[in-house]
Amino acid sequence: MWCLKKLQLPSFLSSNLVLLVFIPLVLVLVPILACTLLGSSFVSSFSSSSWNGIKPVGILTSYSLRSLGSYEEQDENLQIVALAEPPSFTSPFNNSLVAEDAIPHHPPQEGGEEVEKDEVSNEGEEHSNNATAGVLRHEGESETEKDEISNEEEHGNNATAGVLKMYSRLERVEAILAKSRSSIREAARNGSMISNHQDPDYVPQGPMYHNANSFHRSYLEMEKSFKAYVYEEGEPPIFHNGPCRSIYSTEGRFIHEMEKGNFYRTEDPDEAMVYFLPFSVVVMVHYLYVPGAHDMHTIGTTVADYVKVISSRHTFWNRSLGADHFMLSCHDWGPHSTSYVPHLFNNSIRVLCNANTSEGFNPIKDVSLPEIHLKTGDIKGLVGGPSPSTRSILAFFAGGLHGNIRHHLLEQWKGKDEEVLVYEKLPRGKSYESMLKNSKFCLCPSGYEVASPRIVEAIYAECIPVLISDSYVPPFSDVLNWKSFSVTVAVKDIPNIKKILMSISQSQYLRMHRRVKQVQRHFMINGPPKRFDLFHMIVHSIWLRRLNIRVHE
């Protein structure tokens, strides 16, 4: 809120001078106050359920995901953010990244709030002019805005005369992010399928990546700079805990790795780039849900109460209205549980297995989490398979009638073809893992919800995943080019599955098989985590979303 202090003029000023001073001042302030009041009502009139177009997100500016060349920032005083349309999951990686900041950032040296003296030079003067101009203005900015920028620039020029500049902890964090954006954008200009960065463990290359060079640069920047703070509020088992075995294993394993604190975690919230809400929806369902109940109100209110606690004890949630916070859930009810906190649903980074765009999943800010069914707690025996030449089954699926898509698939193909083997229950004596490893293509239809553990099962078994779903965003699609190593079949084309798969040549199939083997590393569960594996790829997806916002005090 703007605070206007009462001005007192010295008694020696004449009444004429008063008129000369105050009339122009009124002419300037009235439009500003009017815009401020209108802007406030304008923001409040927006529906908080849509991320398309312009959406209120508190005091934030945004980096467009549409392309590196379409970077825009809104005037921070408007307290709104202009966002691009959500990109298709097949959008190139370099088109899903933020553009470089037009404003150069120069963080101070080590310490908390520090003082840095601007250099008296042409370079420093140019920096002053840009930095004090605040955020970029759109074309057609008002004369009032131009006057304000002119005044700010004049003030900025004074900095070159020796004025000391204070940097807050948040400004230091944003300066680090700005530097990373610039580095990633530079790497994105190289459209090579092979990264030109040195790496002792792995160098991304090939058409499995939208842009191998920019992904590798982004990954290295994440390893160097990314820090996450885990809120300590809440008691196990509902908080700081989760399942490591079952179909929800990715939820529990990520929570446990963050709790261990061996990667990316910081104990200092002021240096964090994101803030983790460590609750488990799976555990909430186990302890709080009453079987047979028709709603999940208790779960939703628990999430809302937790956000209320951390927002009352810490300043970080209110500073960004949750935009630099994230939660993670592999339960089908995860998305709905966040709807009890509108800012969590609309602003925060939601890492979800149920990545359904028809139910509010937004690829701009949300992360698609792989669903992995671990029966024994590890992936031993699940990874690998025979060579392509020995795989005798064209396509395979086995699973219950969960949802309309599976019902349609079983109705069309169950027991009707010798090459497309579709079962509701596997015949006695047949091994599910063996069937996966002896199939060229593995059918991965959605169940009641869009996510399916069969996608990762297929990748482990070196079987080409065939995605059959509506409105599903595959994991890591900012980075991975799913078209290069998987097949997508529309629900309406289920009767044509065999025709579609038979149309893929042997040479193309062999290329896809090699690519599936290469992307395996990004879905591997390791203890402890290894570079480029599942844990690090989840964190990288969160890192990308944080790069796409800029938080102001």
Side-chain angles (χ1 to χ4, degrees):
M1 180 179 295
W2 292 100
C3 297
L4 299 179
K5 295 182 179 180
K6 184 177 180 181
L7 298 176
Q8 292 184 346
L9 291 176
S11 59
F12 58 80
L13 289 178
S14 66
S15 59
N16 291 334
L17 184 58
V18 170
L19 292 175
L20 289 174
V21 171
F22 273 92
I23 289 176
L25 185 62
V26 169
L27 292 176
V28 172
L29 287 178
V30 167
I32 294 176
L33 290 172
C35 289
T36 302
L37 293 173
L38 289 174
S40 175
S41 61
F42 177 69
V43 167
S44 64
S45 68
F46 264 91
S47 168
S48 62
S49 63
S50 174
W51 265 76
N52 294 331
I54 299 177
K55 180 193 178 300
V57 189
I59 307 177
L60 291 173
T61 53
S62 173
Y63 300 90
S64 169
L65 292 177
R66 183 171 297 156
S67 71
L68 289 169
S70 64
Y71 165 69
E72 292 180 337
E73 286 189 76
Q74 283 281 32
D75 189 327
E76 60 185 345
N77 294 332
L78 294 178
Q79 300 187 0
I80 59 177
V81 60
L83 293 172
E85 292 292 330
S88 165
F89 69 81
T90 58
S91 297
F93 174 76
N94 58 304
N95 287 344
S96 299
L97 283 173
V98 297
E100 69 177 344
D101 291 84
I103 305 170
H105 294 264
H106 300 285
Q109 300 303 313
E110 297 297 321
E113 285 197 355
E114 301 203 12
V115 179
E116 184 176 278
K117 190 169 183 178
D118 293 324
E119 296 178 0
V120 185
S121 64
N122 292 334
E123 181 180 354
E125 187 171 341
E126 181 181 354
H127 166 63
S128 249
N129 291 339
N130 288 334
T132 55
V135 295
L136 298 178
R137 267 66 175 181
H138 290 295
E139 292 182 4
E141 63 191 0
S142 69
E143 291 300 322
T144 302
E145 289 173 325
K146 290 180 180 178
D147 290 341
E148 289 174 349
I149 296 172
S150 177
N151 291 335
E152 289 172 349
E153 288 179 348
E154 182 179 351
H155 173 71
N157 288 332
N158 290 335
T160 62
V163 177
L164 299 180
K165 183 175 179 63
M166 299 294 294
Y167 288 91
S168 69
R169 298 294 292 273
L170 177 59
E171 287 174 326
R172 287 172 53 83
V173 168
E174 289 297 333
I176 294 170
L177 289 167
K179 185 177 180 181
S180 294
R181 291 186 193 106
S182 180
S183 178
I184 297 168
R185 184 178 189 273
E186 182 63 30
R189 292 193 179 101
N190 179 354
S192 173
M193 290 186 182
I194 303 177
S195 170
N196 60 14
H197 300 95
Q198 300 297 317
D199 198 303
D201 294 325
Y202 177 67
V203 176
Q205 58 182 301
M208 301 80 64
Y209 303 100
H210 291 303
N211 188 314
N213 199 49
S214 59
F215 163 53
H216 199 188
R217 180 71 262 167
S218 176
Y219 188 92
L220 295 175
E221 290 289 331
M222 173 194 72
E223 288 186 316
K224 179 176 67 176
S225 304
F226 188 68
K227 293 180 181 179
Y229 179 75
V230 180
Y231 283 112
E232 297 179 354
E233 284 76 9
E235 298 292 333
I238 290 177
F239 302 93
H240 309 283
N241 181 45
C244 290
R245 281 184 267 182
S246 79
I247 199 170
Y248 308 117
S249 62
T250 47
E251 177 177 320
R253 285 183 170 270
F254 185 89
I255 293 174
H256 280 289
E257 287 299 337
M258 292 303 298
E259 289 294 326
K260 289 177 184 176
N262 295 330
F263 300 94
Y264 308 112
R265 182 173 179 177
T266 176
E267 299 297 329
D268 182 359
D270 286 314
E271 69 175 13
M273 295 174 177
V274 295
Y275 302 85
F276 181 40
L277 308 172
F279 58 79
S280 171
V281 175
V282 174
V283 178
M284 286 185 195
V285 172
H286 180 76
Y287 285 100
L288 303 179
Y289 177 68
V290 178
H294 297 292
D295 61 54
M296 58 188 80
H297 184 69
T298 305
I299 297 167
T301 53
T302 301
V303 172
D305 289 344
Y306 187 74
V307 173
K308 184 177 181 180
V309 168
I310 61 102
S311 64
S312 64
R313 293 183 180 180
H314 306 274
T315 62
F316 310 107
W317 176 273
N318 295 325
R319 182 178 68 185
S320 68
L321 298 185
D324 54 358
H325 288 58
F326 76 97
M327 55 77 67
L328 181 144
S329 175
C330 205
H331 198 280
D332 291 349
W333 295 353
H336 184 69
S337 68
T338 65
S339 67
Y340 283 74
V341 185
H343 289 317
L344 178 60
F345 187 94
N346 294 306
N347 301 350
S348 299
I349 302 167
R350 301 181 304 154
V351 185
L352 304 168
C353 284
N354 189 14
N356 189 343
T357 57
S358 70
E359 295 180 359
F361 181 88
N362 181 359
I364 288 179
K365 71 172 191 69
D366 296 329
V367 172
S368 179
L369 179 66
E371 188 173 283
I372 302 176
H373 190 184
L374 292 184
K375 299 176 183 178
T376 62
D378 60 45
I379 58 176
K380 186 177 181 179
L382 301 179
V383 179
S387 65
S389 61
T390 61
R391 294 177 180 251
S392 58
I393 303 170
L394 176 64
F396 165 71
F397 169 79
L401 287 170
H402 299 162
N404 293 330
I405 294 177
R406 290 196 190 182
H407 180 83
H408 189 25
L409 176 66
L410 287 163
E411 184 180 56
Q412 289 288 328
W413 291 103
K414 179 183 175 182
K416 296 182 179 180
D417 196 280
E418 294 182 354
E419 294 182 290
V420 180
L421 303 182
V422 174
Y423 304 96
E424 185 174 355
K425 290 184 178 180
L426 272 178
R428 186 184 299 271
K430 289 187 179 291
S431 162
Y432 180 76
E433 287 75 19
S434 177
M435 294 292 286
L436 288 173
K437 293 182 179 183
N438 284 285
S439 300
K440 294 181 177 179
F441 298 92
C442 291
L443 307 182
C444 308
S446 295
Y448 289 123
E449 300 295 345
V450 292
S452 170
R454 285 163 180 78
I455 296 174
V456 178
E457 289 172 351
I459 292 173
Y460 282 173
E462 299 171 6
C463 179
I464 312 302
V466 180
L467 280 59
I468 309 172
S469 64
D470 286 326
S471 308
Y472 178 58
V473 179
F476 316 138
S477 50
D478 305 279
V479 171
L480 298 180
N481 176 17
W482 281 81
K483 285 185 176 181
S484 71
F485 61 88
S486 70
V487 178
T488 299
V489 174
V491 175
K492 64 181 179 62
D493 290 328
I494 286 178
N496 301 319
I497 283 178
K498 185 173 183 179
K499 181 179 179 181
I500 292 170
L501 299 182
M502 292 292 289
S503 69
I504 297 174
S505 67
Q506 179 67 8
S507 59
Q508 184 180 358
Y509 162 71
L510 292 175
R511 287 194 295 270
M512 296 176 77
H513 181 265
R514 288 195 299 269
R515 295 165 187 169
V516 165
K517 291 181 68 174
Q518 187 170 339
V519 301
Q520 266 183 355
R521 70 172 60 243
H522 300 313
F523 296 88
M524 299 290 281
I525 295 176
N526 297 303
K530 297 179 181 180
R531 298 182 70 224
F532 296 98
D533 71 357
L534 178 70
F535 173 76
H536 291 283
M537 290 297 289
I538 295 170
V539 175
H540 182 261
S541 294
I542 297 167
W543 157 255
L544 288 182
R545 271 66 184 176
R546 180 60 179 90
L547 281 172
N548 278 296
I549 62 171
R550 185 177 173 195
V551 182
H552 297 274
E553 295 284 6

